[in-house]
Amino acid sequence: PSSVNPESFPAKLWRLVNSPPFQSIRWDPSGQGLLIDEQQFMREVLSGGDGAAGAAELFKTKKFTSIIRQLNLYGFHKVASGLVVEQRPGPGAGGGCSAWALHHYHSPHFLRGRPDLLVYLKRLTASNKAKEAASPGLSSRQPRSYRQ
Amino acid sequence: PSSVNPESFPAKLWRLVNSPPFQSIRWDPSGQGLLIDEQQFMREVLSGGDGAAGAAELFKTKKFTSIIRQLNLYGFHKVASGLVVEQRPGPGAGGGCSAWALHHYHSPHFLRGRPDLLVYLKRLTASNKAKEAASPGLSSRQPRSYRQ
Amino acid sequence: PSSVNPESFPAKLWRLVNSPPFQSIRWDPSGQGLLIDEQQFMREVLSGGDGAAGAAELFKTKKFTSIIRQLNLYGFHKVASGLVVEQRPGPGAGGGCSAWALHHYHSPHFLRGRPDLLVYLKRLTASNKAKEAASPGLSSRQPRSYRQ
DNA sequence: GGCGTTCTAGAATATTCGTAG
DNA sequence: GCTACGAATATTCTAGAACGC
C-alpha cells in the first residue's frame, strides 16, 4: 500500500548508495551499513554538481553536517570503526593523503537488497516517537552496546 | 591576579586569530567577530600540521565540528552572514570555485585588542550555568535577532 | 545481544592485548592480569604510529599516564610487582640496563579468553557509581592483597 | 502538520592536572 | 613514593529547537 516518497531523504539515500557512479557513498562489506567518504561526498553530491554524475540539486544543503543530522533523524547510528575499514589504497599519485573522514552508519531498516524495509524508516519527530512509546527507548548516545 | 590558562580553548583561539600566518581564522572588519574559513582551517590547523605555520598538535581533534562545539560551549554565537563578509579576491588560477564555508562567530568577550576580556569566557558547564542562574536565559537558538 | 562498543577503552585494550604484533602489552602467565612495558608501549601504540603494526590513532593521547588513568577509571588495579613478572632476557648486547617500567594491572572482568566479561567493565563515573550503590563497595585502594 | 536545514545543547567517553591517602 | 581518584576541559555522537517551505 503505502510506498515511499521518492523525494524523502531515505529514498535519496537509497538511490545514492545503489548508484555505482557515486563512489563516495557505498555499502560496507556486510551490506548492513553505509560508508560515506566526507570529502568525496562533498564534491560528488553536495556543492553544485561539478561532480561526476551530476547529482544536480539532490539536496538543497551544501553542508555535510546536514546529512548527518538527517541520518540521526531517521534513526541511523554511527558504527565505530577502529577495526577493518578497508586499507587505504594510496596508489601513489595525488599525494596529499588528507585526514580521511570515512563515516560508517547503520540502521536496521537500511540493508542492501532490502528496499522493502525502507517504509519502516520514520523521521523521529515528537509525534512519531510518541507512537513508538513502547519501544526499548535508546538513550541519545548508546552508553555501551549499540548494535542492538 | 587570575590569568587565563594558555592551554584552554579561548586562549588558543586568541593566539590563532592574532597570528597573521594563519589566514584561515581572522577578525571580521569590525573586530567584533571571528571569521573562519572551514576548508583552509582544516588544512592549516587541524590534521597534522602539513599546513603553513605548523600548528603542531594545537588541537587533538581533526574534526571541524569539534571546533564549532567548543565555540558554542564558550558562548559564541553564529552571526547571520549575507551582510559584510568581504569578498575573497580569488588570486587567479585554480578556478575550483568551491562552496565556501566561511563561518562568522561572535562573543561579547572576544574582541580585537581586548585580551583583558578573555577571563569572562566561561565554559558553559552545568556548574557554571548554575552560578549564572539569574541571567536572561536565552533559548537554544535565539528566536530572531540576537545581536544584543 | 548487547555487545561492547569497539571504540571504548576496554575494547581497544582487549584488541591490543590479544594482538601478537603488539609486544608491549600482553597477558601475564596466569592470564588474569595485564603486563605493559611502558617504553615499548609508548613507541608501539602512542606517539604517532611509526611503531610496528601501525596502531594509527588508536588513542588521541601521547601520555602513558592517561592510559593508567583509564585503567583506573575502568576498575583496574595495580598488582604489586616484585613477585612473578618474568625477567626480560635482554635480547643481546648493549646492556641498556633498563629500570624497566613493567606495569602489572588486574581487573576481575578482564581475563584471557573471556571476552564475555567485558560488558561488566563499567566506567566509574559518578552516575555509574550511584547505580551500584548497593554493591559490596570495595574501597579505592584495596586494603591489602586482592589477588583473589 | 511534515520535512529539510541550521544552529545550539545534552550526554557519554577521553584526556589532563592536581592531590589526597 | 606512588597509586588512585576528583574535577575540569576536550572530543564525539545525538537530539532539541527555530525557521521556512
Side-chain angles (χ1 to χ4, degrees):
Chain A
S2 70
S3 66
V4 174
N5 179 350
E7 292 309 308
S8 69
F9 176 79
K12 292 177 180 177
L13 197 64
W14 181 263
R15 293 201 298 275
L16 278 177
V17 76
N18 290 300
S19 247
F22 291 100
Q23 301 182 353
S24 61
I25 173 171
R26 55 193 188 279
W27 294 104
D28 68 15
S30 75
Q32 301 200 347
L34 207 50
L35 292 174
I36 312 179
D37 180 313
E38 178 171 340
Q39 280 93 53
Q40 203 175 354
F41 188 88
M42 299 246 297
R43 288 194 303 270
E44 272 187 358
V45 181
L46 308 177
S47 83
D50 55 321
E57 292 297 314
L58 195 52
F59 301 106
K60 287 196 182 67
T61 185
K62 291 192 172 61
K63 300 175 193 292
F64 190 74
T65 58
S66 289
I67 304 299
I68 299 298
R69 186 70 190 93
Q70 291 276 61
L71 287 170
N72 282 324
L73 276 173
Y74 279 94
F76 284 79
H77 284 275
K78 183 149 196 173
V79 176
S81 55
L83 304 180
V84 201
V85 178
E86 85 247 49
Q87 286 305 96
R88 176 87 62 87
C97 62
S98 75
W100 271 34
L102 186 53
H103 302 268
H104 194 177
Y105 273 83
H106 167 79
S107 161
H109 307 310
F110 200 85
L111 307 178
R112 183 169 55 196
R114 297 295 304 276
D116 56 296
L117 299 178
L118 292 179
V119 296
Y120 300 114
L121 277 176
K122 303 286 187 190
R123 198 173 195 265
L124 299 180
T125 61
S127 59
N128 284 344
K129 280 190 283 191
K131 296 173 186 174
E132 305 187 15
S135 291
L138 302 174
S139 62
S140 72
R141 183 178 179 179
Q142 266 90 326
R144 244 160 247 290
S145 63
Y146 61 95
R147 197 80 83 100
Q148 289 193 328
Chain B
S2 72
S3 64
V4 173
N5 180 349
E7 293 307 309
S8 67
F9 176 77
K12 292 177 178 176
L13 197 65
W14 180 262
R15 293 201 298 273
L16 279 177
V17 75
N18 290 300
S19 253
F22 291 100
Q23 301 181 353
S24 61
I25 174 172
R26 56 194 187 279
W27 294 105
D28 68 13
S30 74
Q32 302 201 346
L34 208 47
L35 292 173
I36 311 179
D37 180 313
E38 179 172 341
Q39 281 93 53
Q40 202 175 355
F41 189 88
M42 299 246 295
R43 288 194 303 270
E44 272 188 358
V45 180
L46 308 178
S47 83
D50 55 321
E57 292 298 311
L58 196 51
F59 301 105
K60 291 206 167 59
T61 186
K62 291 192 172 60
K63 301 175 193 291
F64 190 73
T65 58
S66 289
I67 304 299
I68 300 298
R69 186 71 190 90
Q70 289 277 63
L71 287 169
N72 283 324
L73 275 172
Y74 279 94
F76 284 80
H77 284 276
K78 185 148 193 172
V79 176
S81 60
L83 305 180
V84 203
V85 182
E86 86 248 45
Q87 286 305 97
R88 180 71 69 96
C97 62
S98 77
W100 279 18
L102 186 53
H103 303 267
H104 194 177
Y105 274 83
H106 168 79
S107 159
H109 306 309
F110 200 85
L111 306 178
R112 183 170 54 196
R114 297 295 304 276
D116 56 297
L117 299 178
L118 291 179
V119 295
Y120 300 115
L121 277 176
K122 302 287 186 189
R123 201 167 195 270
L124 299 179
T125 62
S127 59
N128 284 343
K129 281 192 282 190
K131 296 174 186 174
E132 306 189 15
S135 290
L138 302 174
S139 64
S140 71
R141 183 178 179 177
Q142 268 91 324
R144 284 211 188 264
S145 64
Y146 54 89
R147 196 77 85 92
Q148 291 190 332
Chain C
S2 71
S3 65
V4 173
N5 182 341
E7 285 300 300
S8 67
F9 176 78
K12 292 176 178 176
L13 197 65
W14 181 262
R15 294 202 299 275
L16 279 176
V17 76
N18 291 299
S19 246
F22 291 99
Q23 302 181 352
S24 61
I25 173 171
R26 56 194 188 277
W27 294 104
D28 67 15
S30 75
Q32 301 200 347
L34 207 49
L35 292 173
I36 311 179
D37 181 314
E38 179 171 342
Q39 281 90 51
Q40 203 176 354
F41 188 88
M42 299 245 298
R43 287 194 304 270
E44 273 188 356
V45 181
L46 308 179
S47 81
D50 55 322
E57 293 297 311
L58 197 51
F59 301 106
K60 290 207 165 60
T61 186
K62 290 192 172 61
K63 300 175 195 293
F64 189 75
T65 57
S66 289
I67 304 298
I68 300 299
R69 185 70 190 91
Q70 290 277 63
L71 286 170
N72 285 323
L73 275 173
Y74 280 94
F76 284 80
H77 284 277
K78 184 149 196 173
V79 176
S81 61
L83 304 178
V84 202
V85 182
E86 88 253 43
Q87 285 305 96
R88 181 68 70 98
C97 63
S98 70
W100 277 24
L102 187 53
H103 302 268
H104 194 180
Y105 274 83
H106 168 80
S107 161
H109 306 310
F110 200 85
L111 307 177
R112 183 170 55 196
R114 297 295 305 276
D116 56 296
L117 299 179
L118 292 179
V119 295
Y120 301 114
L121 278 175
K122 304 286 187 190
R123 199 168 197 269
L124 300 179
T125 61
S127 59
N128 283 344
K129 281 190 282 191
K131 296 174 186 173
E132 305 188 16
S135 291
L138 301 174
S139 64
S140 70
R141 184 174 177 178
Q142 262 90 328
R144 283 209 190 263
S145 64
Y146 53 89
R147 196 82 80 93
Q148 290 190 333

